[in-house]
Amino acid sequence: MKIALAQLNYHIGNFEANTRKITEYIQLAKDKGADLVVFAELAICGYPPRDFLEFDEFIGLCETAAHEIAKSCIDIACIVGLPVKNDLLQGKDLYNAAYFIEDGKVKAVVKKALLPTYDVFDEYRYFEPATQFNCIDFKGKKIALTICEDLWNINDNPLYISNPMDELIKGQPDVMINIAASPFSYTHDDERIKVLADNAKKYSLPVFYVNQVGAQTEIIFDGGSLVFDADGAMKAEMKYFEEDLQVFDLEEVENVRNKYPQSERLTDIEQIHDALVLGIKDYFGKSGFSKAVLGLSGGIDSAVVCALACRALGPGNVMAVLMPSKYSSDHSVQDALDLVNNIGCMHEIVPIKEVTEAFDNILAPAFKGLPFNLTEENIQARIRGIINMAMSNKFGYILLNTSNKSECAVGYGTLYGDMCGAIGVIGDVYKMQVFELAKYINKEREIIPVNIIVKPPSAELRPDQKDSDSLPEYEILDKILYQHIERKQGSKAIIAQGFDEALVLRILKMVNVAEFKRYQTPPILRVSPKAFGMGRRMPIVGKYMV
């Protein structure tokens, strides 16, 4: 039996495009001699469909698309994921399921049992867990088909009666196939490989695993579909961050016990870079937009976002707006212009000195006798936000937010100012990682001027301002934030690692107080194991004293 893994980029709710792509790849797999082609979890509708699943019409369109796809399955079989109705009079209305299609007909329906409800997942909101498991007979082989989490051996939830593979193995299968929608984080590829290899060894069966690729708003899928033999040796690793189709001979995977010559793995920063480029590209492409605008300050955050946007969309589709104030240094303006010249994007210079003075004059009677403070700094940031949005409205550009994760965490940003935008590009990237990204972007030639990388970070909203006036040094801040956000450590555990107690308490208080700001920020491209947004849900007015 020859099995094709089709690692594709789907578009949530775009049934016409998804169906067309799936049928094209069925034909391509057939042309390559495959007997079976495997597509990802909920491939027909795209993942995650979220509350689209509550519309009967949406489910009906899934079923219509599945029958259209079935017409293409002549002289080849396919496995494809979709939501299906639960015809029982109890439980949730739907199953997260997969169709096994052969000779133009649905020959088997497999339902997912282990429904994840952690981080970005909320599947138990919509789906009923499966409780019955059977192998699929095809070409003299028995297939143990599972859906994503069902092969991750998470069986400590009391909702689950048993682990699906522990039941399927009783049917004496010859091969395991797992279809997935496994979101990217820069730590996840190694974890995924280990889990699948362990399953192959545990059940002494080859594993064929297909993941999807592409971004769905903030969630990015990296592909990296895999094949293992029954000893847990990797036999194939498909492309990352790209669509791919590969055909494998099951007999060779079963009987040829040579270990796949694994290529060198991408570093964390390389993965983050590729993920963000894909995230920007798909956000624009799937939303029907092509041009981006951003404020370019001469600082490292906006410089990195500008470079990433140019790689994703092309320099001709990116507009950088320079908005110098009376506090902007000459070198910051020149650094921004040097970046524009290096990268070739469009740009406009819109000074804000006169606008700021107009606000000062208008508010002078109300603010009489009060000193300059954060109020005036925020006015400058909001003026820039208005200009960026004006460019967006006038020319149909989509505004990119340039705030990094360190700033988002501690609230070092102005609501309706530098925090506005349609998508947060680096909001899941700590400041020190932003520096690493800048160096990686410059690996072949200088794109981001070196002065942007080496100068002390500053918002330049008052004379001689530096970020370090308000924040701890980023080297320390990022380490404490990582322990609290990604590793979910409270103050006592972080202090026990040797960090200063007063500093830890100050930083964690800043994180908690800034929650109301994060509720009003754009969706953030997720690249870490714990990003702000749908995967981290905190109360705004909670009083958890960490």
Side-chain angles (χ1 to χ4, degrees), residues 309-330:
C310 288
R311 291 186 173 184
L313 306 174
N317 291 316
V318 177
M319 168 63 74
V321 186
L322 287 65
M323 294 168 283
S325 74
K326 64 180 179 179
Y327 301 117
S328 298
S329 60
D330 292 339

Side-chain angles (χ1 to χ4, degrees), residues 496-516:
Q497 296 179 36
F499 293 100
D500 177 76
E501 179 177 353
L503 180 61
V504 170
L505 294 176
R506 175 191 165 206
I507 290 172
L508 268 55
K509 182 178 180 181
M510 293 169 76
V511 173
N512 290 344
V513 169
E515 195 62 47
F516 79 99

Side-chain angles (χ1 to χ4, degrees), residues 254-299:
E254 287 178 311
N255 299 322
V256 182
R257 290 291 192 261
N258 59 308
K259 186 162 185 174
Y260 174 73
Q262 188 173 332
S263 58
E264 185 176 347
R265 309 209 63 73
L266 294 175
T267 66
D268 289 352
I269 289 301
E270 288 172 325
Q271 292 184 69
I272 291 171
H273 172 274
D274 292 352
L276 294 177
V277 170
L278 178 58
I280 297 169
K281 183 178 180 180
D282 273 5
Y283 183 86
F284 277 75
K286 293 177 180 180
S287 300
F289 295 100
S290 60
K291 295 184 182 294
V293 63
L294 73 154
L296 192 63
S297 67

Side-chain angles (χ1 to χ4, degrees), residues 205-231:
L205 290 174
V207 175
F208 288 76
Y209 162 88
V210 65
N211 190 22
Q212 56 188 269
V213 69
Q216 311 289 5
T217 313
E218 65 266 61
I219 301 178
I220 301 166
F221 299 95
D222 58 338
S225 302
L226 298 158
V227 178
F228 294 85
D229 68 20
D231 295 330

